[in-house]
Amino acid sequence: MLKSIVLKTSRDKSILQKHPWIFSGALAKVPAGLQNGETVLVRSAEGHFLALAAWSEHSQISLRVWSFDETTAIDQKFFEQRIGQAVRRRERLGLPAQSNALRLIYGESDGLPGLIIDRYADQLVLQILSAGAEYQRQNIYNALQNVLPGLPVFERSDVDIRHREGLKNRRGTIAGAEPDGPVEINENGLKIWVDVLHGHKTGYYLDQRENRFLLGTSAKGKTVLNCFSYSGGFGLSALQGGAAHVTNLDLSTDALALLDKNMVLNNFTPDRYTNVAGDVFEVLRGYRDAGRQFDIIVLDPPKFADSRTHLPKALRGYKDINWLALRLLKPGGLLFTFSCSGLLEAPLFQKIIADAALDAGRSAQIVTRLGQSADHPVLLSFPEAAYLKGLVCQAD
Ligand code: SAH
């Protein structure tokens, strides 16, 4: 028998609109003895059934909805259905044809809050981010192996946000052999090594795939400055598109070492690229003082804001790098600028770029607006799933 959590009067509005989160302030009655992650019935103050959800004891997001249908059993079959559905959605979009690396499960958007599953060629990587998904993990492991049999699965549940859910980090092999090094994927015809054991996220930034491809289409004969390069992404795409020269810039020497291997893997000769280990904020100032200019500049920084308290500092950071980049662009040059901070909404991001241009004394136009790849879809009832935004600006 599932226990029930009752909401306060008229706090059922968002859940009736199929939003999958309920915050702690909306709860009227929580039964004693609930386990962290346990499935509960959510009821309105009037006692009506609203949803089946997972209880998160330590988070501000107290409940994450598994189903709005009272007859659903949250068991292995349920996860098989949802995982199967998500895989088929991506197949219908023809996504595997672009790349053999893609996000198969994107949490709430695929009806599976707190669960990420990425596929890198024949290697699956799984990440559990919420108490509810953690509670169900054996069902999830089993379901995944039934839907996609025979593929090795590695778990990378080693991210800080798990602490907010009262969960410790976990990493290790779930099925098959542990990868013995980076996994080779193919993205739009580029070969790329992905470090699923130690790399960022689950190993690679799949969310930027379509934007990397777009950059490639504008890069012929151009000089490109690829800031926050990680393992090469945009730089590889630029060279594939015929760029004359790419400067890759990142703080992490591990990332640059992998980038170098990726350049070799694609037979890009060292005269076509330079790798610089350094801080974008400092290196760009150096380039400005030296009067260096580029045809195309990519700014793909890490998340500067992970909480509202950090937002003002993050905004200054975004403005600073964009101001610098705009000063380094040749007349007619293109700026590909991104923010992956979900807390920074698109209109404010655009305003920051506008302010940066004003301060840099450059007139520029937005020519394309960008978002996250189609394997990171945004469920209409969960707009929070949209986090990556980008602008391509042409400067006069
Ligand atoms: N564009 C990449 C992903 C970038 S992730 C792709 O398409 O795959 C962000 C990267 O920024 C990380 O590799 C991190 O090491 C780097 N980074 C973070 N802060 C930095 C700084 N201040 N200067 C330079 N690199 C930084």
Side-chain angles (χ1 to χ4, degrees):
M1 255 297 277
L2 298 177
K3 295 176 181 156
S4 292
I5 288 186
V6 181
L7 301 191
K8 291 179 183 162
T9 313
S10 67
R11 295 300 290 267
D12 53 0
K13 207 166 141 222
S14 84
I15 200 165
L16 289 172
Q17 292 171 345
K18 302 279 194 286
H19 193 283
W21 288 354
I22 301 164
F23 289 91
S24 57
L27 309 186
K29 261 189 259 149
V30 178
L34 279 181
Q35 281 187 56
N36 196 17
E38 183 176 338
T39 306
V40 295
L41 293 158
V42 185
R43 297 192 180 281
S44 67
E46 296 75 31
H48 303 306
F49 169 84
L50 294 169
L52 287 159
W55 163 245
S56 246
E57 190 183 336
H58 304 280
S59 170
Q60 285 289 95
I61 305 165
S62 298
L63 293 163
R64 288 180 175 80
V65 173
W66 290 126
S67 174
F68 294 101
D69 174 357
E70 192 167 3
T71 65
T72 315
I74 310 305
D75 55 11
Q76 185 180 320
K77 277 240 142 29
F78 165 80
F79 289 100
E80 284 175 11
Q81 274 168 4
R82 291 270 162 109
I83 294 171
Q85 229 178 10
V87 169
R88 286 191 296 279
R89 280 187 196 115
R90 285 152 178 80
E91 283 170 358
R92 281 199 299 271
L93 291 172
L95 286 177
Q98 266 183 5
S99 172
N100 64 1
L102 74 160
R103 178 150 294 188
L104 295 178
I105 302 289
Y106 178 42
E108 281 75 355
S109 286
D110 287 303
L112 293 170
L115 181 64
I116 300 292
I117 301 176
D118 290 339
R119 178 170 187 158
Y120 297 107
D122 286 335
Q123 176 72 50
L124 298 175
V125 186
L126 171 146
Q127 198 166 60
I128 289 177
L129 306 170
S130 67
E134 178 82 7
Y135 186 84
Q136 300 287 345
R137 80 191 161 97
Q138 204 53 55
N139 280 334
I140 292 170
Y141 296 164
N142 295 345
L144 181 59
Q145 284 165 74
N146 280 348
V147 178
L148 297 165
L151 297 179
V153 186
F154 191 75
E155 179 162 3
R156 282 290 306 273
S157 299
D158 54 0
V159 280
D160 289 349
I161 50 168
R162 276 175 66 93
H163 306 164
R164 291 187 205 166
E165 296 279 317
L167 307 173
K168 293 207 176 71
N169 285 350
R170 184 178 337 94
R171 65 195 301 284
T173 298
I174 308 269
E178 179 161 324
D180 54 6
V183 176
E184 187 184 318
I185 62 155
N186 188 305
E187 178 181 286
N188 291 313
L190 283 166
K191 293 185 217 162
I192 299 168
W193 290 117
V194 173
D195 183 358
V196 299
L197 294 176
H198 308 287
H200 297 178
K201 295 196 166 204
T202 60
Y204 193 51
Y205 291 84
L206 294 167
D207 53 355
Q208 286 282 22
R209 178 179 50 251
E210 293 164 14
N211 303 329
R212 286 189 285 261
F213 182 72
L214 181 75
L215 172 84
T217 62
S218 356
K220 199 169 173 52
K222 306 284 199 242
T223 54
V224 179
L225 174 59
N226 180 22
C227 300
F228 309 97
S229 66
Y230 189 49
S231 58
F234 284 98
L236 292 161
S237 208
L239 289 174
Q240 184 190 36
H245 188 271
V246 177
T247 305
N248 298 297
L249 172 54
D250 202 286
L251 263 183
S252 159
T253 48
D254 285 347
L256 289 175
L258 194 56
L259 182 151
D260 224 28
K261 289 197 181 128
N262 284 331
M263 291 289 172
V264 173
L265 190 61
N266 290 282
N267 298 317
F268 295 137
T269 49
D271 55 310
R272 295 184 69 199
Y273 65 93
T274 308
N275 299 336
V276 180
D279 184 336
V280 167
F281 291 88
E282 288 165 18
V283 175
L284 263 53
R285 285 190 159 73
Y287 288 171
R288 175 199 60 187
D289 297 342
R292 287 199 55 182
Q293 298 253 286
F294 299 86
D295 294 311
I296 296 179
I297 300 178
V298 180
L299 292 176
D300 183 23
K303 201 173 5 170
F304 284 162
D306 52 11
S307 71
R308 291 214 177 271
T309 36
H310 293 142
L311 199 55
K313 182 158 179 267
L315 301 186
R316 286 195 295 277
Y318 285 116
K319 184 171 167 195
D320 193 41
I321 53 174
N322 280 281
W323 169 74
L324 282 162
L326 282 156
R327 297 198 48 178
L328 300 179
L329 265 190
K330 282 189 193 163
L334 294 176
L335 173 66
F336 283 68
T337 182
F338 297 94
S339 160
C340 61
S341 300
L343 290 172
L344 172 53
E345 292 188 7
L348 181 53
F349 179 58
Q350 181 175 325
K351 171 86 169 65
I352 289 167
I353 312 305
D355 288 348
L358 207 58
D359 284 7
R362 292 297 290 267
S363 155
Q365 300 170 319
I366 297 170
V367 292
T368 313
R369 288 171 195 280
L370 303 171
Q372 60 220 41
S373 302
D375 51 347
H376 296 58
V378 180
L379 188 69
L380 283 169
S381 57
F382 184 64
E384 291 88 339
Y387 63 97
L388 181 64
K389 55 234 152 272
L391 297 171
V392 186
C393 298
Q394 178 166 237
D396 292 334

